[in-house]
Amino acid sequence: MWIQPEEVLLAGALWVSERANPFFILQRRRGHGRGGGLSGLLVGTLDVVLDSSARVAPYRILLQTADSQIYWNIACGSNRKEITEHWDWLESNLLQTISIFDSDEDVTTFVKGKICGLIAEEKRVQPGEEPEEDCGKFREAELKMRRLFRMPEEEKLVNYYSCSYWKGRVPRQGWLYLSVNHLCFYSFLLGKEVTLVVQWTEVTQLEKNATLVFPESVRVSTRHEEHFFSMFLNINDTFKLMEQLANIAMRQLLDNEAFSADRSLPKPCKTLKNVSALKRDLDARAKNERYRTMFRLTQDERLDGHTDCTLWTPFAKMHVVGQLFISNNYICFNSREEELCQLIIPLREVSIVEKADSSSVLPCPVSISTKNKMTFLFANLKDRDFLVQRISDFLQRTPDSCWGDASPLSLIGHSAPASSESVSRGRHYHSGLPTASQALLQLYQQDAAEDLGPRAMKEKMKEEAWNIHFSEFGRGVCMYRTSRTRELVLNGIPERLRGELWLLFSGAQNEMASHPGYYGDLVEQAMGLCSLATEEIERDLHRSMPEHRAFQNETGIAALRRVLTAYAHRNPGIGYCQAMNIVTSVLLLYCTEEEAFWLLVALCERMLPDYYNTRVVGALVDQGVFEDLTRAFLPLLYEHMQDLGVISTISLSWFLTLFLSVMPFDSAVLLVDCFFYEGIKVIFQVALSVLHDNMDALLSCSDEGEAMTILGRYLDNVVNKQTVAPPIPHLHALLTSGDEPPPEIDVFDLIKSSYEKFGSLRSDVIEQMRFKQRLKVIQSLEDTAKRSVVRAMMTESAFSIEELEELYCLFKAQHMTSCYWGSSSSAAERHDPSLPYLEQYRIDPAQFTQLFTALAPWLCGGHTPSLSARLFRILDQNQDGLVNFKEFITGLSGMYHGDMTDKLKLLFKLHLPPALCPEEAESALEATHFFTEDTIQESSCVSNLDILGQQEVTSGEEGKDGGGDSEEKKEEKVKDYRYYLRMWAKEKEPKRETIKDLPRMNQEQFIELCKTLYNMFSEEPLEQQLYHSIATVASLLLRIGEVGKKFNNGCKKTNSSQTPPTAQAPPTAQAEQEGSAEGASGESQVCRALADAQLEPDEEAKDDTSVSSYSVVSSGSLQCEDIADDTVLIGSGEQRRGSVLDADWSITFEQVLASLLTEPPLVDYFEKKRDIQAKMAACKAQRVVERQISSASDHELTQHSI
């Protein structure tokens, strides 16, 4: 590529000049390419260790002048082909021009200006591309990566690091390249080369550890091997980036979401040295994720920046040190001391932002006032003016809303602008519904008499404590959140405030406020639609808390149906999962419908990620985390529980329903309170506490059932002694109750003990453990899918288990490649997790062609793509442009394991519609019409013999029918439902296709078949005999077609009913003599077609010496001109198109099969057993990218120079 001219003082150091003229020198780096001796080895080693080749590509062009000792580097290239193009351009465009300049200074100025102009022109010609932000050194490193590992341009380098790769006990110093989809390592030390490429989607474990053998290192594990890297300059940064890239890969495996760069990333204020745009993108994503998790914000929220400051806290009368965060919709504050103070201010609530007077006590203060009359004072801001300007910019973009967080129920009114009466007639959800304005508990308790007992008084005291907290710390989204808030939550949220505080702590209130009317519109779109999700919802509606009276009538059931159906419509990737109904029914007890919907969104998409998808990946991940935590905190119990296999059984039901299905409702709802405030760590703490309390009993268990019974009875007796609601019978308790009731456990004591014993758990540690488990779980699910597919295909193909596993891996790898090197949207559309495993991964025609070329036994040179496209059209039965694994194996198995008839039948069908498209055969459209008519009604012009047979069968059937008329009438009277069931079953049975079902082949299609056969034998050992055989068979079939045409024409002249019944098989010798003149045109067309198959070979095969073998065609019975060894035929395609095809000429598959059976070489070829193992090994080797020291481009240039 052209580069900005750089000054070079020593042109000869470490470089070899290969071409030169008075003004330019083309140089090659020592150690690159073949040879080089000891100096080449030393320079190659130096390049790897010092990374000098990351700054300088292996080829370059220098500008030189006679009087100057300074050279200018104007172009570089990663291979000879690229640098030669630049050299040829300079010689043809600049050399003559600059030779007329008088001074060398003018030459230098002119050339430098021209090169700069070329660079500018290249950027102008590609306006759609992302602006190049990466520095020159990084671009060179990316070029080097693509050259070393043969990566396409779509593969983007994120960053590269100097490190050591441990191969055995010997460290190899080199460079680690981290791209979006691959981890690559390269080392070249004193002639020994190490190349490693690992796909992120193959990584099963990623750990940072330190041992005696390996000093602080990173271990990368795949299914079959482990790799260790150490001696990083900053191992923590490297490991974080590796974690991010592995996470992106797992997301690809989970839902096929390809990585897409963030184009809206702000440009850096200054050029960042050695930092790519992608690295900045990933760093920004990591910061955004931490910010959103910290403050429970929506997925589209982006952090703009953060700064240190202090916040005046009126409740404590002090300034709290912390950080201020600004994003597109929020201003947030978090204290440096954990849980001292946290604040979230939505910009929609901000009314005034102003700079307050600065003083020595309060330097650089900013005052922010909200619509509900709260004022927040931030001070000690470093760049106050810039901060206020950024907030002002975001405020201008914030839509002005007339509702605040003081009355979230007012949002419901905006979803239905019309009057409630008119709306209720036409909409499923409207403000007139009871559940639109009240929670279900309120509806069923509003008529109850006021309770004045001790429990009711305790509840009122809780409410009063919260009211005092609101008056002191504020109410709504802008409330100060402190350690006092957590204490109140742990003591239990009052029932009247539960819905409001769940919305607040989960962040759902922010999402609901920014999407007014969204839920109502979603309900209207979703209701009435029928899908797998809606069927499952209907099935589970009456299983959702059936013991609670709120769900024993249509009001509660209808509200639950609307919420679940609306969410399934919003997120079809999740749709509906069992356990969602239980959680949602609890939400509806304390919230209105719209509030319950947004709480469900927060739960499924942020607080419990991937819990409720089709494979409950999130719950399985947390199950693994729980096992690790049990091993860390309760090691003795862990070993015993693993032997019993209990942990995996209990944890799924505990986590999926947040203990709601295994604990009495009044107790479990208190855990939900803590969960919405603290997150998943509370669930882990309580689960560990339950195991700890039952440790002695569990250690004495001898089987899984006994352990499950102990834990079940313990959880059934966790009670809430402070509840004011009437007791709700717990179904699980009724099923597991024994003779002696165990002692009751107060839920408040359980929560308190969980904080005392396991309160050291941190959310960031849990996230780290989740990442480790996510790799393991997703790869385990992929292995399960592979085993399921192989089991299903064992009965439908003749491939072995090992072969099917390898083929599945190659097929999936081809699909995954399209996700990151192809169109991400189309790849994502191809993957539907709800489909059976056999149909989840699908490939398009281009990918199918690549696999066909690599694996199919029938390769036809330049004709292979068209043959692949035809097979694709046959396999694509639903015509969606995609082929799944089952269809792919069906086609491949037919070519490898079918008998000769099956293989020929497939080959025959590949040259008939729909496999043969109109673009490939001019008469395909007419042929399709012709064949369609033939299949609908029996043709009377097949042959006299066929007609005779048809007449005999027909007359026999008529005789039978006539004789059985009275019996048929009797049967009609006694036909019952069983008869119709049998008929229906018979219709549903797939009809086996016989060779008689195949349509006839016309002349154009026959010519295409001959071309395919002609190309198929080019690499066979017996190609001479095969060419002779195919020429003989083609000639024979042409004559058979001519004979058939004569009989068909005879049939057309006479009425089919008058056909003589004594017709015999077609005579051969006499008919051939009569038809020789007419058959000459057909033979010449086939001759030209066979010659045409040889035309214009690929550039790579131009020097192939097997061209002479094509002359064998002339030795057959076809009357073709000889094809000399060095003859290149041209124009036969035009001649063939110009010739008139015989529309009446046709042959049957039986005739093709019989003709081919007369030639033993063809019989041997099609009956020969093919081994797919070698093909699969070659395909895998092609995918494993390896660098060759002497590249193909070097060889090309050597020949070019000669």
Side-chain angles (χ1 to χ4, degrees):
M1 64 177 184
W2 302 109
I3 60 174
Q4 294 289 344
E6 298 174 351
E7 205 173 89
V8 178
L9 294 177
L10 295 173
L14 308 182
W15 292 87
V16 178
S17 296
E18 296 202 338
R19 292 188 183 184
N21 59 43
F23 296 100
F24 302 106
I25 305 174
L26 188 154
Q27 294 186 325
R28 172 178 57 84
R29 185 79 169 167
R30 289 185 189 274
H32 181 78
R34 293 174 302 181
L38 181 61
S39 64
L41 289 177
L42 290 172
V43 173
T45 302
L46 192 67
D47 281 345
V48 171
V49 176
L50 301 180
D51 193 35
S52 56
S53 64
R55 286 185 292 275
V56 183
Y59 297 95
R60 71 180 183 183
I61 297 175
L62 300 179
L63 166 66
Q64 66 169 358
T65 53
D67 297 336
S68 174
Q69 297 299 315
I70 296 175
Y71 298 82
W72 294 90
N73 188 6
I74 59 172
C76 66
S78 58
N79 55 56
R80 283 187 181 273
K81 184 178 178 183
E82 181 185 1
I83 205 69
T84 305
E85 289 175 358
H86 286 25
W87 178 266
D88 292 343
W89 188 90
L90 289 170
E91 284 194 328
S92 58
N93 291 279
L94 285 190
L95 203 57
Q96 290 185 344
T97 305
I98 60 179
S99 61
I100 62 174
F101 283 89
D102 294 330
S103 70
D104 293 340
E105 188 178 343
D106 292 342
V107 171
T108 304
T109 304
F110 176 78
V111 173
K112 286 167 64 177
K114 187 66 179 175
I115 298 302
C116 292
L118 286 172
I119 295 170
E121 181 67 16
E122 284 179 352
K123 289 182 178 178
R124 188 189 66 79
V125 170
Q126 302 168 345
E129 294 187 0
E130 185 180 2
E132 193 66 70
E133 297 176 358
D134 303 336
C135 66
K137 180 176 178 180
F138 190 89
R139 289 201 301 272
E140 290 296 339
E142 190 168 42
L143 282 174
K144 180 184 176 185
M145 180 202 74
R146 290 177 187 157
R147 174 175 57 83
L148 291 176
F149 307 107
R150 306 280 177 82
M151 297 288 182
E153 288 190 8
E154 291 85 357
E155 185 67 3
K156 301 296 184 185
L157 178 65
V158 180
N159 213 349
Y160 62 105
Y161 304 92
S162 173
C163 70
S164 291
Y165 169 55
W166 293 79
K167 197 168 184 181
R169 293 183 174 273
V170 181
R172 301 296 180 94
Q173 182 64 28
W175 289 87
L176 181 70
Y177 297 87
L178 303 181
S179 69
V180 172
N181 305 295
H182 295 86
L183 175 151
C184 309
F185 177 84
Y186 180 75
S187 173
F188 182 76
L189 296 173
L190 298 177
K192 290 190 176 180
E193 186 178 51
V194 176
T195 304
L196 174 71
V197 177
V198 178
Q199 287 187 20
W200 289 116
T201 50
E202 295 297 319
V203 173
T204 58
Q205 200 170 0
L206 195 62
E207 284 185 314
K208 183 177 66 174
N209 51 22
T211 62
L212 291 174
V213 180
F214 301 111
E216 195 173 30
S217 62
V218 174
R219 182 175 70 174
V220 180
S221 304
T222 63
R223 287 179 177 83
H224 308 296
E225 52 192 354
E226 291 184 342
H227 309 285
F228 290 88
F229 302 91
S230 65
M231 301 184 192
F232 291 93
L233 188 63
N234 191 332
I235 193 169
N236 292 326
D237 287 351
T238 309
F239 186 71
K240 283 179 183 176
L241 180 58
M242 293 168 84
E243 278 187 330
Q244 274 187 285
L245 294 169
N247 251 329
I248 291 170
M250 293 307 105
R251 182 55 56 186
Q252 284 181 0
L253 287 175
L254 193 59
D255 52 22
N256 269 57
E257 283 185 6
F259 174 82
S260 55
D262 188 355
R263 307 251 174 201
S264 61
L265 206 64
K267 290 187 178 181
C269 303
K270 58 182 180 180
T271 304
L272 301 172
K273 188 179 181 183
N274 298 340
V275 176
S276 68
L278 274 179
K279 178 68 168 63
R280 287 181 52 236
D281 184 353
L282 289 170
D283 288 345
R285 289 178 191 224
K287 288 179 181 177
N288 289 336
E289 190 61 37
R290 286 195 296 271
Y291 169 64
R292 289 193 293 259
T293 304
M294 187 187 300
F295 298 104
R296 303 274 173 84
L297 302 177
T298 55
Q299 294 295 327
D300 57 350
E301 199 62 27
R302 295 183 181 184
L303 179 64
D304 186 66
H306 59 89
T307 182
D308 293 334
C309 70
T310 60
L311 169 67
W312 172 253
T313 52
F315 54 88
K317 302 293 189 289
M318 61 181 287
H319 292 279
V320 176
V321 179
Q323 281 192 316
L324 182 69
F325 300 84
I326 308 291
S327 61
N328 43 337
N329 293 300
Y330 298 91
I331 301 170
C332 302
F333 174 85
N334 195 43
S335 60
R336 187 176 296 172
E337 186 180 338
E338 194 174 2
E339 294 185 0
L340 185 59
C341 181
Q342 193 181 72
L343 184 65
I344 302 171
I345 310 172
L347 290 180
R348 66 177 184 273
E349 297 295 324
V350 173
S351 57
I352 300 172
V353 178
E354 57 183 351
K355 298 180 218 176
D357 295 334
S358 184
S359 66
S360 57
V361 180
L362 205 63
C364 302
V366 170
S367 171
I368 299 177
S369 301
T370 63
K371 294 174 182 176
N372 58 354
K373 311 303 181 191
M374 292 183 72
T375 302
F376 305 95
L377 190 63
F378 299 94
N380 291 285
L381 294 162
K382 290 181 181 176
D383 196 345
R384 181 173 64 164
D385 294 341
F386 177 74
L387 178 72
V388 171
Q389 183 60 46
R390 290 302 293 165
I391 296 174
S392 175
D393 292 342
F394 284 127
L395 280 172
Q396 288 178 358
R397 301 175 204 165
T398 305
D400 187 26
S401 57
C402 58
W403 54 87
D405 59 27
S407 56
L409 295 179
S410 64
L411 289 168
I412 305 246
H414 292 273
S415 63
S419 64
S420 59
E421 289 182 8
S422 62
V423 167
S424 60
R425 293 194 196 104
R427 291 175 70 92
H428 293 90
Y429 175 79
H430 53 86
S431 57
L433 288 171
T435 51
S437 57
Q438 284 183 296
L440 287 173
L441 271 184
Q442 290 176 297
L443 288 173
Y444 289 98
Q445 289 180 359
Q446 59 190 4
D447 299 329
E450 187 177 1
D451 187 0
L452 299 175
R455 291 188 178 182
M457 297 307 295
K458 182 84 172 176
E459 185 77 2
K460 285 188 179 296
M461 288 172 64
K462 283 186 186 178
E463 287 183 26
E464 189 59 32
W466 274 100
N467 288 328
I468 293 170
H469 185 271
F470 292 149
S471 64
E472 192 174 348
F473 295 87
R475 187 167 188 171
V477 184
C478 301
M479 178 177 71
Y480 292 98
R481 304 174 196 207
T482 66
S483 54
R484 173 65 181 152
T485 314
R486 194 180 82 165
E487 289 174 16
L488 289 173
V489 171
L490 294 184
N491 288 329
I493 298 176
E495 288 193 352
R496 290 186 185 179
L497 298 175
R498 189 161 270 145
E500 177 189 340
L501 292 174
W502 282 0
L503 281 170
L504 176 65
F505 297 142
S506 65
Q509 185 167 337
N510 289 321
E511 211 159 359
M512 186 173 77
S514 55
H515 295 85
Y518 176 84
Y519 173 69
D521 295 339
L522 205 59
V523 170
E524 295 310 309
Q525 295 168 19
M527 295 304 286
L529 297 178
C530 187
S531 66
L532 181 63
T534 56
E535 290 175 12
E536 291 178 343
I537 289 168
E538 289 298 325
R539 189 179 63 228
D540 286 351
L541 282 175
H542 295 278
R543 303 177 189 172
S544 309
M545 295 190 69
E547 66 275 13
H548 199 290
R549 61 175 185 157
F551 296 99
Q552 292 169 358
N553 59 74
E554 188 56 30
T555 303
I557 294 294
L560 183 60
R561 179 187 291 114
R562 284 191 292 270
V563 173
L564 290 174
T565 307
Y567 185 77
H569 188 69
R570 166 191 165 90
N571 193 341
I574 291 178
Y576 171 76
C577 174
Q578 283 188 336
M580 284 173 70
N581 59 321
I582 296 173
V583 175
T584 308
S585 58
V586 174
L587 299 178
L588 281 167
L589 288 175
Y590 298 99
C591 307
T592 65
E593 264 188 60
E594 187 172 13
E595 292 169 346
F597 170 79
W598 286 113
L599 276 170
L600 185 63
V601 169
L603 206 69
C604 296
E605 297 175 13
R606 288 187 280 114
M607 301 189 73
L608 296 175
D610 301 322
Y611 257 61
Y612 300 106
N613 59 20
T614 50
R615 297 189 280 183
V616 292
V617 172
L620 292 173
V621 167
D622 280 351
Q623 174 183 300
V625 172
F626 182 54
E627 289 184 11
D628 286 350
L629 290 172
T630 308
R631 179 167 44 201
F633 287 101
L634 308 168
L636 191 63
L637 182 61
Y638 170 77
E639 296 296 334
H640 187 64
M641 296 281 276
Q642 282 295 98
D643 295 338
L644 299 179
V646 175
I647 295 181
S648 59
T649 309
I650 59 173
S651 52
L652 266 183
S653 59
W654 293 3
F655 296 143
L656 272 172
T657 63
L658 303 175
F659 285 98
L660 287 165
S661 63
V662 295
M663 197 181 280
F665 172 74
D666 295 325
S667 304
V669 80
L670 290 171
L671 297 183
V672 178
D673 291 344
C674 300
F675 167 75
F676 277 122
Y677 187 79
E678 291 271 32
I680 193 65
K681 65 171 267 187
V682 174
I683 305 300
F684 284 124
Q685 287 176 190
V686 172
L688 287 170
S689 191
V690 169
L691 292 184
H692 182 271
D693 290 351
N694 293 275
M695 186 185 294
D696 295 336
L698 290 171
L699 286 173
S700 63
C701 289
S702 57
D703 58 43
E704 179 187 357
E706 189 180 352
M708 294 291 293
T709 303
I710 290 170
L711 291 171
R713 294 187 68 188
Y714 176 87
L715 290 169
D716 290 337
N717 287 278
V718 176
V719 297
N720 178 5
K721 297 177 180 178
Q722 299 180 11
T723 183
V724 293
I728 301 170
H730 183 44
L731 293 182
H732 191 264
L734 297 175
L735 295 172
T736 59
S737 59
D739 299 330
E740 298 179 7
E744 292 182 342
I745 302 97
D746 193 331
V747 67
F748 291 101
D749 293 340
L750 178 62
I751 294 172
K752 184 180 178 183
S753 84
S754 75
Y755 272 92
E756 288 172 353
K757 294 170 185 171
F758 309 106
S760 58
L761 270 180
R762 293 173 55 88
S763 298
D764 55 344
V765 174
I766 291 174
E767 284 304 315
Q768 184 68 34
M769 296 172 77
R770 274 179 164 178
F771 163 74
K772 178 182 170 183
Q773 291 297 328
R774 192 176 293 117
L775 292 179
K776 195 183 297 183
V777 166
I778 292 178
Q779 296 293 12
S780 173
L781 289 172
E782 291 296 311
D783 291 341
T784 304
K786 181 171 73 173
R787 287 193 294 270
S788 301
V789 168
V790 169
R791 278 198 302 270
M793 290 304 299
M794 280 296 294
T795 57
E796 300 192 26
S797 75
F799 289 115
S800 67
I801 294 177
E802 293 77 14
E803 288 172 344
L804 282 171
E805 286 182 347
E806 288 290 334
L807 287 169
Y808 178 80
C809 291
L810 290 171
F811 187 88
K812 178 183 155 191
Q814 192 69 42
H815 171 87
M816 294 305 301
T817 302
S818 72
C819 293
Y820 48 75
W821 286 347
S823 169
S824 59
S825 58
S826 62
E829 288 165 7
R830 289 177 215 157
H831 183 256
D832 185 356
S834 65
L835 291 174
Y837 286 130
L838 273 171
E839 302 173 23
Q840 282 192 11
Y841 294 113
R842 295 178 286 176
I843 57 176
D844 60 19
Q847 296 168 308
F848 181 84
T849 299
Q850 292 177 10
L851 281 179
F852 180 88
T853 306
L855 299 173
W858 300 343
L859 295 181
C860 305
H863 198 59
T864 303
S866 61
L867 194 67
S868 166
R870 293 173 195 169
L871 180 59
F872 184 91
R873 285 191 283 272
I874 288 179
L875 297 177
D876 183 20
Q877 295 178 358
N878 58 357
Q879 297 182 348
D880 62 349
L882 299 170
V883 163
N884 61 39
F885 182 69
K886 182 179 179 180
E887 294 166 338
F888 173 72
I889 289 297
T890 303
L892 207 59
S893 184
M895 289 187 281
Y896 273 100
H897 300 296
D899 57 22
M900 181 177 176
T901 304
D902 291 334
K903 291 177 181 177
L904 289 175
K905 193 197 303 183
L906 176 60
L907 197 62
F908 189 81
K909 287 166 71 175
L910 288 174
H911 297 84
L912 297 173
L916 197 71
C917 63
E919 289 77 12
E920 293 178 304
E922 292 174 1
S923 61
L925 192 60
E926 293 86 343
T928 307
H929 181 64
F930 174 71
F931 292 140
T932 307
E933 288 180 351
D934 281 353
T935 54
I936 293 172
Q937 56 184 11
E938 290 292 325
S939 172
S940 61
C941 302
V942 179
S943 68
N944 293 337
L945 185 61
D946 290 345
I947 293 165
L948 174 64
Q950 287 170 11
Q951 283 187 343
E952 288 174 356
V953 171
T954 308
S955 61
E957 286 177 354
E958 284 175 358
K960 287 179 185 176
D961 291 347
D965 244 2
S966 58
E967 292 178 12
E968 206 171 283
K969 288 177 182 175
K970 289 179 184 177
E971 281 182 11
E972 282 179 4
K973 295 178 183 177
V974 295
K975 281 178 185 175
D976 59 359
Y977 71 95
R978 285 172 294 185
Y979 170 80
Y980 293 106
L981 280 175
R982 283 197 301 273
M983 293 295 292
W984 179 78
K986 194 172 181 180
E987 287 177 7
K988 290 291 180 185
E989 282 180 8
K991 295 179 181 177
R992 290 185 62 84
E993 186 183 55
T994 65
I995 57 176
K996 292 187 179 295
D997 296 327
L998 293 171
R1000 301 174 72 87
M1001 178 178 279
N1002 68 17
Q1003 200 169 66
E1004 179 76 12
Q1005 294 156 358
F1006 176 66
I1007 290 171
E1008 290 293 329
L1009 175 63
C1010 290
K1011 286 173 65 177
T1012 300
L1013 289 168
Y1014 184 76
N1015 280 281
M1016 198 180 284
F1017 310 133
S1018 61
E1019 297 180 5
E1020 289 295 315
L1022 301 175
E1023 62 176 327
Q1024 300 281 349
Q1025 294 92 319
L1026 287 167
Y1027 285 134
H1028 184 279
S1029 298
I1030 197 59
T1032 305
V1033 168
S1035 177
L1036 177 59
L1037 285 170
L1038 275 171
R1039 290 185 171 88
I1040 290 174
E1042 291 296 334
V1043 171
K1045 185 182 73 170
K1046 280 184 170 293
F1047 279 95
N1048 293 345
N1049 289 338
C1051 290
K1052 289 177 182 176
K1053 292 175 184 175
T1054 60
N1055 194 328
S1056 60
S1057 61
Q1058 299 172 355
T1059 306
T1062 57
Q1064 300 296 324
T1068 54
Q1070 184 180 355
E1072 283 179 12
Q1073 289 173 4
E1074 291 175 357
S1076 60
E1078 296 178 8
S1081 65
E1083 289 183 15
S1084 63
Q1085 285 175 20
V1086 175
C1087 173
R1088 284 194 294 270
L1090 295 179
D1092 189 33
Q1094 149 74 2
L1095 296 184
E1096 299 177 5
D1098 295 340
E1099 291 183 7
E1100 296 175 0
K1102 279 184 179 177
D1103 56 348
D1104 194 346
T1105 56
S1106 64
V1107 174
S1108 60
S1109 64
Y1110 293 128
S1111 61
V1112 176
V1113 176
S1114 62
S1115 65
S1117 57
L1118 288 177
Q1119 300 170 2
C1120 299
E1121 296 177 4
D1122 289 346
I1123 304 173
D1125 292 353
D1126 55 350
T1127 302
V1128 178
L1129 299 175
I1130 58 170
S1132 63
E1134 285 77 359
Q1135 291 172 7
R1136 182 166 61 84
R1137 292 189 196 94
S1139 57
V1140 179
L1141 289 169
D1142 196 338
D1144 295 329
W1145 188 98
S1146 65
I1147 54 173
T1148 64
F1149 174 72
E1150 293 98 318
Q1151 292 166 339
V1152 173
L1153 178 61
S1155 302
L1156 284 167
L1157 287 172
T1158 62
E1159 292 294 327
L1162 289 173
V1163 174
D1164 293 341
Y1165 175 82
F1166 283 105
E1167 286 188 342
K1168 181 181 177 182
K1169 294 293 182 185
R1170 308 279 173 174
D1171 183 21
I1172 198 174
Q1173 292 285 355
K1175 294 267 188 183
M1176 290 191 298
C1179 188
K1180 284 177 70 178
Q1182 188 178 357
R1183 296 190 64 82
V1184 175
V1185 191
E1186 295 179 349
R1187 177 184 180 269
Q1188 299 175 356
I1189 296 177
S1190 58
S1191 63
S1193 55
D1194 291 329
H1195 179 66
E1196 289 171 12
L1197 189 63
T1198 306
Q1199 287 186 336
H1200 179 70
S1201 303
I1202 293 169

